[in-house]
């Protein structure tokens, strides 16, 4: 798997079924932007979760090859009572699942949240050795 910049419009254009599913399942649902990189020992994912995010409103799940971040951004109680003239900030459910570049150990994952950035660190699986396969000529 190659890592490159996220191009949401290209992804929508290449997966029309996914676009239709997202339209049907949840108008207004946002997908946080996520960067994923790997080191010799771990895979690190950082996600933008600005605003009013409470750790109890965020759920992080991982398998051996995927990471999912989902949750809800809520308005402050004060804001719910206001009669807004103009509002552009996102409030509501969010969800994002990304494939990981290598197999990981999800049971050893850790997460931190600081200044609007969620960071998830997952150790690489120990048996991720590549083996060159010789070709027999007949």
């Amino acid at each position: 798997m190659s890592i490159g910049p996220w191009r949401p419009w290209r992804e929508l254009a290449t997966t029309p079924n996914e676009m239709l599913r997202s339209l049907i399942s949840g108008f207004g649902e946002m997908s946080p932007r996520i960067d994923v990189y790997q080191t010799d020992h771990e895979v690190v994912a950082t996600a933008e979760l600005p605003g009013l995010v409470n750790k109890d409103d965020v759920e992080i799940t991982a398998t051996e090859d995927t990471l999912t971040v989902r949750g809800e951004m809520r308005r402050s109680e004060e804001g719910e009572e206001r009669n807004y003239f103009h509002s552009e900030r996102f409030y509501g459910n969010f969800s994002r699942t990304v494939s990981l570049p290598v197999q990981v150990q999800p049971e050893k994952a850790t997460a931190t949240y600081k200044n609007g950035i969620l960071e998830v660190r997952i150790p690489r699986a120990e048996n991720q050795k590549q083996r060159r396969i010789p070709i027999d000529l007949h």
Side-chain angles (χ1 to χ4, degrees):
M1 173 183 178
S2 64
I3 298 176
W6 179 52
R7 291 183 170 78
W9 301 116
R10 185 188 71 199
E11 290 175 15
L12 289 175
T14 59
T15 58
N17 290 337
E18 194 63 37
M19 185 173 88
L20 180 61
R21 186 178 9 247
S22 83
L23 287 173
I24 292 170
S25 69
F27 287 96
E29 185 171 290
M30 85 147 199
S31 296
R33 296 176 184 166
I34 296 180
D35 291 341
V36 178
Y37 65 92
Q38 63 179 316
T39 68
D40 291 340
H41 305 288
E42 65 186 354
V43 172
V44 181
T46 56
E48 294 178 343
L49 297 179
L52 302 172
V53 175
N54 183 322
K55 77 175 192 174
D56 295 332
D57 293 334
V58 177
E59 177 184 301
I60 305 165
T61 56
T63 66
E64 289 80 14
D65 59 359
T66 64
L67 174 69
T68 300
V69 179
R70 70 172 52 98
E72 183 178 3
M73 290 185 180
R74 302 172 192 248
R75 284 192 192 266
S76 65
E77 292 176 18
E78 201 175 276
E80 292 177 2
E81 298 172 6
R82 295 181 181 158
N83 185 14
Y84 279 91
F85 170 72
H86 184 85
S87 179
E88 292 182 0
R89 294 176 58 198
F90 175 83
Y91 298 98
N93 295 323
F94 60 88
S95 179
R96 185 76 191 276
T97 299
V98 294
S99 296
L100 301 176
V102 295
Q103 296 282 310
V104 295
Q105 301 177 60
E107 67 279 356
K108 295 183 179 179
T110 60
T112 57
Y113 180 73
K114 182 178 180 183
N115 297 329
I117 302 294
L118 174 70
E119 181 180 82
V120 181
R121 292 181 171 271
I122 312 170
R124 293 174 64 149
E126 293 174 9
N127 56 0
Q128 288 291 309
K129 303 275 189 220
Q130 281 189 345
R131 181 176 83 86
R132 185 177 176 119
I133 302 170
I135 300 171
D136 289 330
L137 295 176
H138 293 282

